[in-house]
Amino acid sequence: MSKLTKKVALVTGGSRGIGAAIAKRLAADGATVAITYAKDANAASSVVKSIEAAGGKAIAIQADAANAQAVKAAVDKTVSTFGGIDVLVNNAGTAIPKTFEETTLEEIDRMFNINVRGVMVATQAALKHMKTGGRIIMIGSCVGERMMTPGLVPYSATKGAVKMFTQGLSREVGSRGITVNNVQPGPIDTDLNPAAGDWATPQKANTALDRFGTPDEVAALVSFVAGPESSYITGANLTVDGGTNA
Ligand code: NDP
């Protein structure tokens, strides 16, 4: 038996980048996995196919994290298809890098709607079904705790909100045997933050390891937090950032 056998996980934004790596890793650990995506149905379907090809079970659900009805429906679909939900990974998120004074109100709303409101909506919906042993896992960011560069002001504020949401919620659901933790990546090579992009050089320089991380390195920590060995960890901000915040 693998460590997540008989567990059902929902990974939001699981079609590309960090979310896709998490979905594949949780499936490799034995979980049945649902992923959501916003736009790219082909990418979502290729994650499902790759999990199935490895002998796992998965579905993809179109659900924009900014649309509360769609997010609730995605949780319900996960539960009706697989019989429950044991692990929620709130991964869907976006950044719109530019100076604060240039950022529009619409852009601020978009970052908060996806990164904070969407996370709260998904979590509320999942908690209705979650039993003892449940795991709520946020994908925050190292910039939710410390900031090294200009250009990410509202984004870092959303991730700071995710951090305190994690800590606060852990106090409410601990008595139900549910843990709530915040995995905080540093610079990870994805479409959102390419290691070869304009913004990459200062980010790499801020790490102690002098490199970007990979989505699999984040997925490895999420896998641990999702599994039985993390049972006494809750309300924690677990940073996987190559030493950026050291
Ligand atoms: P990517 O942009 O590479 O991938 C984002 C994923 O989320 C895709 O599957 C995308 O699907 C989905 N997605 C995007 N917008 C929405 C939405 N509105 N609703 C539902 N799904 C959506 O991002 P990353 O993998 O880099 O980032 C994942 C998480 O990690 C985010 O929360 C981000 O803030 C966080 N993070 C990333 C870091 C990095 O350096 N990469 C560092 C720290 C934190 P689709 O293509 O269909 O839109």
Side-chain angles (χ1 to χ4, degrees):
M1 281 239 305
S2 304
K3 71 177 178 186
L4 296 179
T5 300
K6 298 206 170 121
K7 300 288 183 191
V8 175
L10 170 61
V11 182
T12 66
S15 59
R16 291 183 291 111
I18 294 170
I22 292 169
K24 290 180 198 169
R25 175 64 196 257
L26 298 184
D29 289 337
T32 298
V33 176
I35 60 169
T36 65
Y37 65 97
K39 294 189 198 107
D40 194 343
N42 286 336
S45 140
S46 89
V47 171
V48 168
K49 282 189 191 133
S50 123
I51 289 172
E52 288 171 346
K57 233 179 355 173
I59 55 167
I61 306 163
Q62 200 276 333
D64 190 321
N67 177 340
Q69 284 316 113
V71 171
K72 285 186 211 162
V75 172
D76 290 346
K77 168 103 178 157
T78 303
V79 172
S80 63
T81 307
F82 296 134
I85 180 166
D86 303 289
V87 179
L88 171 67
V89 183
N90 279 307
N91 166 79
T94 199
I96 305 173
K98 48 167 74 173
T99 66
F100 180 60
E101 284 175 279
E102 285 169 344
T103 307
T104 67
L105 186 56
E106 287 70 27
E107 289 166 337
I108 292 172
D109 283 345
R110 180 150 182 83
M111 284 185 268
F112 273 88
N113 282 339
I114 296 173
N115 299 4
V116 182
R117 185 171 172 267
V119 166
M120 291 189 180
V121 171
T123 302
Q124 234 170 18
L127 280 171
K128 287 203 178 105
H129 304 279
M130 217 169 248
K131 301 197 168 72
T132 293
R135 301 274 189 268
I136 307 275
I137 303 169
M138 320 299 170
I139 304 299
S141 169
C142 69
V143 305
E145 288 194 312
R146 287 192 65 204
M147 199 63 226
M148 322 292 191
T149 54
L152 290 172
V153 175
Y155 174 76
S156 63
T158 67
K159 295 302 188 178
V162 165
K163 171 183 182 285
M164 285 316 299
F165 174 57
T166 301
Q167 293 173 225
L169 185 64
S170 70
R171 296 280 181 188
E172 288 197 7
V173 299
S175 58
R176 288 171 57 187
I178 295 170
T179 67
V180 189
N181 291 292
N182 180 26
V183 167
Q184 303 188 123
I188 305 297
D189 187 13
T190 65
D191 296 339
L192 184 68
N193 190 12
D198 291 347
W199 293 79
T201 306
Q203 291 185 67
K204 179 169 166 272
N206 282 331
T207 68
L209 296 177
D210 196 32
R211 67 170 176 88
F212 265 51
T214 66
D216 285 343
E217 289 176 311
V218 179
L221 178 54
V222 172
S223 159
F224 172 73
V225 177
E229 286 178 304
S230 70
S231 46
Y232 201 53
I233 301 174
T234 196
N237 301 292
L238 305 163
T239 302
V240 49
D241 69 349
T244 300
N245 283 3

